[in-house]
Each structure stands twice: as structure tokens, then as C-alpha cells.
Amino acid sequence: MDSPSVDIDRGSDDAPGRIRGRRLGVLLVLCGAIFLEGIDVAMLNVALPSIRADLGLGTGTLQWVMSAYVLGYGGFMLLGGRAADLFGRRRMFVGWLTVFLLFSGLGGLATEGWQLIAARFVTGVAAAFMTPAGLSIITTGFDEGPQRERALLVYSGTAAGGFSVGLVAGGLLTSFGWRWVFFAPVALAALILVGALALVPKSPAPARADRGRIDVWGGVLVTAGAVLLVLGVEEASALAAVAGLLLLAAFAVVERRTPEPLVRLGILRSAGLLRANAVALLFSAAFFGFQFLVVLYLQEVRGWSTLATSFAMLVIGIDAVLSPTVVPKLVARYGNGRLIFGGLLLAALAYGLFLPLEADWTYLAMLPALILLGLAFALVYGPLTIVATEGVAEAEQGLAGGLLYTAFQFGAALGLAGVTGVAAGAADALDGYRAALLVPFAAALLAAAIALPGLRSRRTADAAPAPEPAPEPARAR
């Protein structure tokens, strides 16, 4: 039995791709949530040097302020996606949005590094349950084709807009004190919560006997494996990295043998879906690692203020305008695969232009690379979201969204750990940043190589058959 979708009045639109009525209201609420996630990450990124100075954190600990969030996010994303399918998408969205609200505020009260790291981890866990629920409300509530593609591109563009606004807002708020970076999202989350309660319709959850069980052991193994793998990359510890890989291998064994797996391995038989998630991981690793380095370079090598840094990075947010306006037309004409590949090449070029970084670079010297990166994000992020959820059975849309965002978040954690580990090995900060910039450059090139076979298809990133339909869930004993 398929998990029921959220009924968003499918008959309210009078033209393909047009979104009106209650569906528009629901889309605005869900876009508000992904905007919240984007603004939260961007504001924290700009505030990191101020947090370091106030709490006396080393570079490694500072990296964990970011990585705790993305590990909580990525580690529980698969569990969150499955929970949305089994227990109701609206219920998971509203409940975990509330948790996000509470722990974002608690982060602003931290007086020690470990307190801030703990608060960020729980906030990431909340996002892990909230985000796939919101994405699956879109993919089950909007008809597959032009309308769903437009909704997803608006959704991804809003996420980019959140990042862009967060850069400026983070600089402004940090000038009053870094704690406001955590308090401000509380007010926005409260507004989104009110909108969700009013507009997102309830959907009947599966009967208890048909609901199945959550694969807790699978969730524990994949989270622990990811944490150890990231720790191994950051600390250059072969033991931690090998232990992480072994736990991830154990996760695959458990998923194959359990009757109700967290990840049904059959869904991974689509080459297109696997390729989309691999590209997402590498693209995210490059993007987050790059922005981490650039913020530290501007503030700690150049001595720029948080506000000046915010405005310098703002140009990357050009994708917030392009994603809902220009990208849908490009998708219709060239297909997702071509856009993804072209965007990855632009990203690699952007990172390559930063490789000869000098201590006295002017902003005009950095600007071309930052513009190219904004264009790259617009071409890659939205089409990847479409490819990773296209052709998946409705009952597994939460799982598909969970897989995609797991790839994004684990990629971010690995990218942060990678650039931090390389930069920390240099005696001079500038030399360290130059060496670490090779990490995003190499990751973008590898992602482009993986995406290359997707050029065979105009409409999707791959011409391979869709994943096999989800089996009937086992009855609870």
C-alpha cells in the first residue's frame, strides 16, 4: 500500500506548469522552510570568525560548529525521509520545524564550544526530518512534469535566496553580536510554523498494522560511519576513516537483510539516481569547502569586517534569481543532464581561478570566480533535485529526497573536513588556503566526470530505467 500523498487540490491550476490557489500557498510555506535552512547556514558561516574570537575556539573546533549541523542533518536524513513516508509528511514537517525553532534559539545561549556544537547537531537532526518531508509534499502534491519541475526549481531557487540573504543578514546581525545569528531564525521559524498549520493539509497516515517499522540500527550505523569518516578526513586518521567505511559497509549488509530497510537497495538500481547523488555529494563538498576558506581568507588574512565579507559573497546568490526564471526554460530546451554538466564545469573554472590566491587580491580579482560559482549553482542544484526524485514511486518520495539531501550534507561535512585538514597542515595561513583550494577544484572536476554520461538524455540526467516500484510494506508483528 502506498503512503498517501498530501492532497493539495490538484484541479486548481488551469495551465501546465502554472501554480495557483492552495497549492501556491503550500509551496510558499515549504519554500519558507528551505529558505530558513539556507539563511541559517549562511549567517553562521559569516559569523564563524566572531564566534572563534568570543569563545576562543581553534580552527578544528570551529569547523565542528559547521560540521555538527551537517552531520546531524546528513546522518538522520535517511531516517527522516523514511519517517515522512511512514508517519505522515505534514506531521513530520510541523513537529520537527518546532524542534528546529527551539534549538536554534538555544545555540544563541551557548557559552562554551561544546554547547554550541551540541545545539547545532540537534538543529541539524531537526532539519533532517523536516526537509525531506517538505520536499516529498511537493513531489507528491504536484503533477510530475512541467508543474512539478517549476515547483522544484522555485524551491531550489528559494534555498539559494536564503543563502544570499543570510550572507548579508549574518554580517548585519554579527555587527551587533554573533548570538543574534541564532535568535533571528526563531522568529522566521515561528511564522513558517503558523503558515504550515494553516495551509498544509493533513494526510491520513498508514494504518498502524500497515505502517511498518523504522530501521533504527540502519540509522545508527550510517550516522556513526559518517561521523568517523569525516573525523578521519579532518584529522588525517586512517583508523577513523577505515572504521567509518566499515560501519557504512555494515549498514549496506543490514539494509540487504532487514525486511523493512531504511534504504531499500532496489531503489539504487537506477544509474541516473546513483549518479545524481554522487554528483550532489561532490558538488556540495566543493561549494561548502570553498566558501569556508574564502570567509576565513577575507576576514583573517585581509581583515575585512563581517558586513564587508557578506556583501562580497552576495554575488553568489545570483542563482536565487536565475533558478525560478531562466533555468526552467533551459531545462525545457537542453535537459537536466546538459545543465548539470555545464554547471559543474563552470564551478571547476571558478575554483581554478582562485588557485593563485594572493594576500593583496582586490575584490575585482575575485569577482569573476564568484559570479561563475553563482551561475554554476543555478545550473546544478535545481536540475539535480528533479533528477534525484523523477520516476520514483510516490511511497518512496521521502526516501528519494532523503538520499539526495544526505548526499548534500555528507558532502558538505567531507568538504569542510578536507579543506580544514589541508589548510591546518601549512605553516602559513595563506599557503594553507592555497593548498586547500585544490580540494573543491578536484571535487568539481570529478563530479563533472561522473555527470558526463547524463548527456545522453535531454529530459533527465540519465536514460536508464526508473527504479523498480516499492514493494508492499511488511505488516507489523
Side-chain angles (χ1 to χ4, degrees):
M1 158 179 154
D2 285 347
S3 177
S5 62
V6 176
D7 185 2
I8 317 178
D9 186 17
R10 292 178 180 270
S12 63
D13 304 315
D14 56 7
R18 184 172 298 175
I19 302 170
R20 288 183 174 180
R22 183 163 190 168
R23 269 203 266 193
L24 178 59
V26 172
L27 180 60
L28 290 175
V29 168
L30 300 175
C31 285
I34 201 67
F35 180 87
L36 172 66
E37 194 269 334
I39 198 172
D40 181 80
V41 171
M43 289 196 301
L44 177 61
N45 189 52
V46 174
L48 285 175
S50 296
I51 294 172
R52 182 217 289 269
D54 189 32
L55 299 184
L57 306 181
T59 300
T61 304
L62 190 69
Q63 177 256 318
W64 277 104
V65 173
M66 287 288 288
S67 290
Y69 178 85
V70 296
L71 282 173
Y73 200 158
F76 286 84
M77 183 69 72
L78 293 175
L79 199 62
R82 188 63 180 145
D85 290 333
L86 293 179
F87 300 111
R89 295 168 178 123
R90 181 185 187 272
R91 180 183 302 172
M92 291 292 103
F93 180 78
V94 169
W96 286 98
L97 176 59
T98 305
V99 177
F100 187 101
L101 182 157
L102 293 174
F103 277 86
S104 181
L106 288 175
L109 301 175
T111 57
E112 300 286 342
W114 69 266
Q115 295 171 345
L116 183 55
I117 290 170
R120 292 303 294 168
F121 180 77
V122 177
T123 306
V125 172
F129 283 84
M130 178 181 74
T131 304
L135 179 60
S136 61
I137 289 172
I138 292 178
T139 55
T140 59
F142 292 81
D143 300 323
E144 186 167 351
Q147 187 178 84
R148 184 185 296 179
E149 290 185 359
R150 177 167 291 278
L152 288 172
L153 290 170
V154 169
Y155 185 73
S156 62
T158 305
F163 179 80
S164 304
V165 172
L167 288 173
V168 177
L172 288 170
L173 292 171
T174 303
S175 65
F176 294 103
W178 64 264
R179 297 181 188 277
W180 287 103
V181 165
F182 295 91
F183 295 147
V186 172
L188 179 57
L191 289 174
I192 297 168
L193 182 60
V194 171
L197 291 171
L199 293 172
V200 178
K202 295 181 180 179
S203 59
R208 184 175 296 275
D210 295 323
R211 183 178 290 170
R213 298 173 181 173
I214 287 287
D215 177 18
V216 176
W217 276 112
V220 170
L221 287 171
V222 72
T223 303
V227 170
L228 286 173
L229 186 58
V230 170
L231 183 63
V233 171
E234 184 202 350
E235 302 293 338
S237 169
L239 180 61
V242 170
L245 291 173
L246 288 175
L247 286 177
L248 294 176
F251 167 72
V253 173
V254 168
E255 298 308 280
R256 182 176 294 276
R257 294 183 177 180
T258 186
E260 298 174 47
L262 187 63
V263 178
R264 184 180 63 83
L265 298 183
I267 199 174
L268 302 178
R269 293 178 182 173
S270 165
L273 186 145
L274 283 176
R275 182 158 44 250
N277 281 276
V279 168
L281 186 146
L282 290 166
F283 181 69
S284 180
F287 183 79
F288 277 88
F290 175 79
Q291 66 166 335
F292 182 77
L293 291 172
V294 172
V295 167
L296 291 181
Y297 164 75
L298 292 176
Q299 295 193 36
E300 298 189 346
V301 173
R302 301 298 307 279
W304 290 20
S305 68
T306 55
L307 190 57
T309 301
S310 299
F311 281 111
M313 301 286 284
L314 182 60
V315 68
I316 298 176
I318 190 175
D319 62 313
V321 177
L322 297 177
S323 290
T325 55
V326 176
V327 174
K329 299 174 184 177
L330 295 177
V331 168
R333 181 167 183 177
Y334 299 108
N336 293 305
R338 289 180 173 84
L339 262 63
I340 292 169
F341 181 73
L344 292 170
L345 291 182
L346 285 180
L349 177 58
Y351 302 139
L353 290 174
F354 251 85
L355 290 177
L357 185 67
E358 296 292 344
D360 58 351
W361 263 19
T362 65
Y363 183 61
L364 286 178
M366 307 176 215
L367 187 59
L370 297 178
I371 292 175
L372 286 175
L373 187 56
L375 293 172
F377 201 97
L379 295 176
V380 173
Y381 187 74
L384 266 182
T385 306
I386 295 171
V387 170
T389 58
E390 201 166 39
V392 177
E394 187 169 289
E396 292 189 314
Q397 282 292 331
L399 172 59
L403 285 168
L404 176 66
Y405 283 106
T406 295
F408 275 128
Q409 296 307 318
F410 279 171
L414 288 170
L416 288 167
V419 298
T420 301
V422 173
D428 178 73
L430 186 59
D431 289 339
Y433 295 154
R434 284 199 201 100
L437 283 167
L438 288 169
V439 174
F441 179 66
L445 287 178
L446 180 57
I450 293 173
L452 184 58
L455 297 180
R456 288 183 299 156
S457 173
R458 290 184 47 134
R459 291 292 303 164
T460 66
D462 190 73
E468 65 184 44
E472 296 287 336
R475 297 180 69 89
R477 293 172 177 80

